[in-house]
Amino acid sequence: MIEQIREKARELLESGELDVVIGYAEGSDPTRTTPIFCRKPEDTDKLVLDGRCVNTLPAYLNKRHEYPKKGWKKTGIIGKGCDIRAITQLIAENQLKRDEVYIFGAECEGVVAHPEKWDGSLHEGNCASKCSACDVKIPLDTDFYPGEKPEVDRSGPYMVSAPALATLVKMDDEDRFAFWRDDFDRCFKCYACREVCPHCSCNICITDRTMPSWVDQAAHTKGVFGWHLTRAMHLVGRCTGCGECTRACPVNIQVDLFNQKMKEVIQESFDYKSGYSMEVKPPLITYNTDDQETYIR
Ligand code: SF4
Ligand code: SF4
Ligand code: SF4
């Protein structure tokens, strides 16, 4: 599978059709891979694709990053199904044009929850929770797919698979608030959760603005709650469930639980699943006169 992708990537870099191919290469130790930007055809020999490829590479396609500023006209990117969902959402939000990107996709068996859990294979004990209910193992839109792509029924509800979310939803308000207060006590506002997110797309994040200062910048309880609630609201109907915010958090806060719950709410309220259509806009960036207002109480 990866051999076919390497071959195609090499061919497109040689012909000049692509300026760069973003993929994964071996990392600093055998449990890790690292993102690689292949500029020369021979760089493609380094490409790998397996259960260690955890990073959500479409974060690099987000316009707040360096890549669009380099003047590259067309970027190739290797995507797992959930990554391609992120690309789909970036296109739906006009962050990216479809013809600026060439998508290499392949069937995905899942990824490890965290590199340190990699023991040479994927299994129940180390697989990321997002993979258990995944309906994009066969990816959506691809320009290159090794072999024939089977049809998949994706009409079901959005995957919301973290067992921790079910536990959280069952708690009463007081316990749930205590859960978040305890977790947020550890947050020191490093913003890793923002930096890895393919959909945090503002050039200057609202939390970094100081004139005026919208979100208290200190990492105390008020500042941290302000940051996380703002972040969660900015991603409503846009998060595509890659789980990178949680994986990247150095103090193990399950930041994406907010976003997972919001996905359920948006689907119930607007029949919308982020990352499944390049044409349909997220409900909170559009307006219809018959929109429900049941959330106003
Ligand atoms: S969520 Fe699906 S596409 Fe993404 S890594 Fe897991 S199995 Fe693969
Ligand atoms: S990555 Fe973790 S510690 Fe850093 S800002 Fe996000 S939640 Fe806080
Ligand atoms: S909010 Fe978290 S899970 Fe959602 S797209 Fe951003 S990084 Fe991924």
Side-chain angles (χ1 to χ4, degrees), residues 171-207:
M171 289 179 184
D172 61 30
D173 292 353
E174 209 170 299
D175 287 347
R176 198 179 310 120
F177 184 74
F179 170 91
W180 283 118
R181 193 191 49 225
D182 289 350
D183 260 25
F184 287 166
D185 268 354
R186 300 199 301 278
C187 176
F188 59 106
K189 287 194 161 181
C190 66
Y191 300 129
C193 48
R194 174 186 72 189
E195 294 308 305
V196 291
C197 179
H199 304 301
C200 273
S201 45
C202 298
N203 287 332
I204 303 176
C205 176
I206 193 167
T207 194

Side-chain angles (χ1 to χ4, degrees), residues 6 32 52 65 69 71 76 80 85 106 121 135 140 143 147 153 167 175 202 205 223 232 292 296:
R6 281 188 198 131
R32 288 171 194 273
R52 298 169 301 156
H65 283 298
K69 297 176 199 145
K80 310 180 292 290
R85 208 166 40 197
S121 67
D135 66 354
L140 285 155
D143 296 301
D153 176 15
T167 312
D175 287 347
C202 298
C205 176
Q292 293 181 45
I296 302 175

